[in-house]
Short mmCIF file of all heavy atoms in Angstrom, two decimals:
data_model
loop_
_atom_site.label_atom_id
_atom_site.label_comp_id
_atom_site.label_asym_id
_atom_site.label_seq_id
_atom_site.Cartn_x
_atom_site.Cartn_y
_atom_site.Cartn_z
N ALA Y 181 80.67 40.96 -14.95
CA ALA Y 181 80.70 39.81 -15.84
C ALA Y 181 80.26 38.52 -15.16
O ALA Y 181 80.07 37.49 -15.81
CB ALA Y 181 82.11 39.63 -16.40
N MET Y 182 80.06 38.56 -13.85
CA MET Y 182 79.68 37.36 -13.10
C MET Y 182 78.16 37.26 -13.03
O MET Y 182 77.44 38.22 -13.24
CB MET Y 182 80.30 37.41 -11.72
CG MET Y 182 81.82 37.57 -11.73
SD MET Y 182 82.54 37.79 -10.09
CE MET Y 182 82.40 36.12 -9.43
N THR Y 183 77.67 36.05 -12.72
CA THR Y 183 76.23 35.84 -12.62
C THR Y 183 75.87 35.37 -11.22
O THR Y 183 76.62 34.65 -10.56
CB THR Y 183 75.74 34.81 -13.64
OG1 THR Y 183 76.47 33.57 -13.47
CG2 THR Y 183 75.95 35.32 -15.06
N VAL Y 184 74.68 35.76 -10.79
CA VAL Y 184 74.22 35.45 -9.43
C VAL Y 184 73.90 33.96 -9.31
O VAL Y 184 73.15 33.40 -10.12
CB VAL Y 184 72.97 36.28 -9.08
CG1 VAL Y 184 72.42 35.87 -7.72
CG2 VAL Y 184 73.30 37.77 -9.11
N LYS Y 185 74.42 33.35 -8.27
CA LYS Y 185 74.16 31.94 -7.98
C LYS Y 185 73.12 31.80 -6.87
O LYS Y 185 72.23 30.94 -6.95
CB LYS Y 185 75.47 31.26 -7.56
CG LYS Y 185 75.36 29.77 -7.31
CD LYS Y 185 76.73 29.21 -6.96
CE LYS Y 185 76.67 27.71 -6.69
NZ LYS Y 185 78.02 27.17 -6.34
N SER Y 186 73.21 32.63 -5.84
CA SER Y 186 72.22 32.62 -4.75
C SER Y 186 72.29 33.92 -4.00
O SER Y 186 73.30 34.62 -4.01
CB SER Y 186 72.46 31.44 -3.79
OG SER Y 186 73.69 31.61 -3.09
N VAL Y 187 71.17 34.27 -3.33
CA VAL Y 187 71.08 35.51 -2.55
C VAL Y 187 70.39 35.20 -1.23
O VAL Y 187 69.38 34.48 -1.19
CB VAL Y 187 70.26 36.59 -3.29
CG1 VAL Y 187 70.26 37.89 -2.49
CG2 VAL Y 187 70.79 36.81 -4.70
N GLU Y 188 70.92 35.75 -0.15
CA GLU Y 188 70.25 35.60 1.14
C GLU Y 188 70.29 36.91 1.92
O GLU Y 188 71.27 37.66 1.83
CB GLU Y 188 70.88 34.47 1.96
CG GLU Y 188 72.33 34.66 2.31
CD GLU Y 188 72.93 33.47 3.05
OE1 GLU Y 188 73.20 32.46 2.41
OE2 GLU Y 188 73.10 33.59 4.29
N PHE Y 189 69.24 37.18 2.64
CA PHE Y 189 69.17 38.38 3.48
C PHE Y 189 70.19 38.27 4.59
O PHE Y 189 70.38 37.22 5.20
CB PHE Y 189 67.77 38.51 4.06
CG PHE Y 189 67.61 39.67 5.01
CD1 PHE Y 189 67.46 40.95 4.53
CD2 PHE Y 189 67.61 39.45 6.38
CE1 PHE Y 189 67.33 42.02 5.41
CE2 PHE Y 189 67.47 40.51 7.26
CZ PHE Y 189 67.33 41.80 6.77
N TYR Y 190 70.88 39.40 4.89
CA TYR Y 190 71.94 39.38 5.90
C TYR Y 190 71.61 40.26 7.10
O TYR Y 190 71.93 39.94 8.22
CB TYR Y 190 73.25 39.83 5.26
CG TYR Y 190 74.45 39.78 6.17
CD1 TYR Y 190 74.85 38.58 6.76
CD2 TYR Y 190 75.19 40.93 6.43
CE1 TYR Y 190 75.96 38.53 7.60
CE2 TYR Y 190 76.30 40.89 7.26
CZ TYR Y 190 76.68 39.69 7.85
OH TYR Y 190 77.77 39.65 8.68
N GLY Y 191 70.97 41.40 6.86
CA GLY Y 191 70.65 42.29 7.96
C GLY Y 191 70.50 43.72 7.46
O GLY Y 191 70.19 43.96 6.30
N LEU Y 192 70.73 44.67 8.34
CA LEU Y 192 70.63 46.06 7.96
C LEU Y 192 71.87 46.50 7.19
O LEU Y 192 72.99 46.10 7.50
CB LEU Y 192 70.49 46.95 9.20
CG LEU Y 192 69.17 46.86 9.96
CD1 LEU Y 192 69.22 47.78 11.18
CD2 LEU Y 192 67.99 47.24 9.07
N GLY Y 193 71.64 47.34 6.19
CA GLY Y 193 72.73 47.97 5.47
C GLY Y 193 72.87 49.39 5.98
O GLY Y 193 72.96 49.63 7.18
N ASP Y 194 72.83 50.35 5.06
CA ASP Y 194 72.88 51.76 5.46
C ASP Y 194 71.46 52.26 5.70
O ASP Y 194 70.94 53.11 4.98
CB ASP Y 194 73.57 52.59 4.37
CG ASP Y 194 75.01 52.18 4.17
OD1 ASP Y 194 75.63 51.72 5.14
OD2 ASP Y 194 75.52 52.32 3.04
N ALA Y 195 70.86 51.74 6.73
CA ALA Y 195 69.43 51.96 6.96
C ALA Y 195 69.08 53.37 7.40
O ALA Y 195 67.94 53.80 7.28
CB ALA Y 195 68.89 50.95 7.97
N SER Y 196 70.04 54.11 7.92
CA SER Y 196 69.74 55.49 8.33
C SER Y 196 70.01 56.48 7.20
O SER Y 196 69.80 57.68 7.37
CB SER Y 196 70.57 55.88 9.56
OG SER Y 196 71.95 55.92 9.25
N TYR Y 197 70.45 55.97 6.06
CA TYR Y 197 70.67 56.84 4.90
C TYR Y 197 69.35 57.06 4.18
O TYR Y 197 68.67 56.11 3.79
CB TYR Y 197 71.68 56.20 3.96
CG TYR Y 197 71.86 56.96 2.64
CD1 TYR Y 197 72.59 58.13 2.59
CD2 TYR Y 197 71.27 56.48 1.48
CE1 TYR Y 197 72.76 58.82 1.40
CE2 TYR Y 197 71.42 57.18 0.28
CZ TYR Y 197 72.16 58.34 0.25
OH TYR Y 197 72.31 59.01 -0.92
N VAL Y 198 68.98 58.32 4.02
CA VAL Y 198 67.74 58.68 3.32
C VAL Y 198 68.13 59.61 2.17
O VAL Y 198 68.50 60.76 2.38
CB VAL Y 198 66.74 59.36 4.26
CG1 VAL Y 198 65.45 59.70 3.50
CG2 VAL Y 198 66.41 58.45 5.44
N GLU Y 199 68.03 59.09 0.95
CA GLU Y 199 68.55 59.81 -0.20
C GLU Y 199 67.90 61.17 -0.39
O GLU Y 199 68.55 62.13 -0.81
CB GLU Y 199 68.33 58.95 -1.46
CG GLU Y 199 68.96 59.53 -2.71
CD GLU Y 199 68.84 58.58 -3.88
OE1 GLU Y 199 68.13 57.56 -3.77
OE2 GLU Y 199 69.46 58.88 -4.92
N GLU Y 200 66.64 61.28 -0.03
CA GLU Y 200 65.91 62.53 -0.22
C GLU Y 200 66.59 63.70 0.48
O GLU Y 200 66.54 64.85 0.02
CB GLU Y 200 64.49 62.38 0.29
CG GLU Y 200 63.66 63.64 0.18
CD GLU Y 200 62.22 63.41 0.66
OE1 GLU Y 200 61.75 62.27 0.59
OE2 GLU Y 200 61.61 64.39 1.10
#
Side-chain angles (χ1 to χ4, degrees):
M182 304 174 74
T183 56
V184 175
K185 184 178 180 180
S186 67
V187 184
E188 61 183 76
F189 176 78
Y190 184 59
L192 290 179
D194 297 330
S196 66
Y197 173 76
V198 181
E199 186 174 9
E200 178 178 333

